[in-house]
Amino acid sequence: YPTIQLQGWSGPALVQVFVANETTDPRLHMFYQVCLVSAKSNRGCSELVYGYTTVVQVPFTPNTEDRVMSVDSVGLVKLRNSDVERRMASLSEEQQEKLSQNMGNGGRSSQRPS
C-alpha cells in the first residue's frame, strides 16, 4: 500500500484522495475514480462526491513517531464508457473541446511550462 509522511505539522489532519491526470496543470481524470475499500484501518474514512469526482477522506492517524501512515482504504475504479459519455454530455462545448485536446495528447497538457 502507498504510505504518506506528514512533515511540519503535529496536529490532526485529513487526507483527501482523488484521481487526476499527470500534467503541469493537474486535471481530474475522466476514466478513473477512487473508492473506499473495506479495511480494518478505515475507521473514520468517508467517500464524498463533488460534481462528478469521488473523493475519499482519510483521517491522518500515523502509527509511529515519524508520522508515516499506510493508505490501505482507497481503491481505483475504471468507469464504464456509458458513464463517461453521460459525463461528457453534461459538459459545455468549451469544456469538451479542452478535454478532447488533452486526451489527444495522451492526457498531457498541450501547453509547455515557461
Side-chain angles (χ1 to χ4, degrees):
Y1 302 108
T3 58
I4 296 174
Q5 182 177 29
L6 186 63
Q7 297 177 343
W9 179 257
S10 59
L14 186 65
V15 176
Q16 293 185 327
V17 182
F18 59 93
V19 181
N21 286 334
E22 183 181 343
T23 62
T24 318
D25 180 23
R27 299 170 196 260
L28 298 175
H29 204 285
M30 286 295 291
F31 300 104
Y32 293 94
Q33 293 278 353
V34 293
C35 65
L36 185 61
V37 176
S38 294
K40 289 182 181 180
S41 64
N42 74 349
R43 282 185 234 123
C45 296
S46 59
E47 185 176 275
L48 305 169
V49 178
Y50 296 106
Y52 291 103
T53 303
T54 304
V55 176
V56 173
Q57 293 185 332
V58 182
F60 191 83
T61 52
N63 294 331
T64 61
E65 288 186 25
D66 60 356
R67 308 274 298 162
V68 174
M69 178 182 80
S70 176
V71 182
D72 61 351
S73 57
V74 178
L76 187 63
V77 175
K78 174 152 184 347
L79 299 175
R80 297 177 300 191
N81 287 341
S82 60
D83 292 335
V84 174
E85 290 169 3
R86 188 173 340 122
R87 182 188 298 187
M88 288 288 291
S90 68
L91 296 175
S92 71
E93 286 184 27
E94 182 181 324
Q95 290 171 320
Q96 286 183 23
E97 185 177 319
K98 284 182 182 178
L99 183 63
S100 295
Q101 289 173 352
N102 285 340
M103 288 175 19
N105 292 324
R108 303 225 185 276
S109 174
S110 59
Q111 299 173 350
R112 299 206 183 262
S114 313

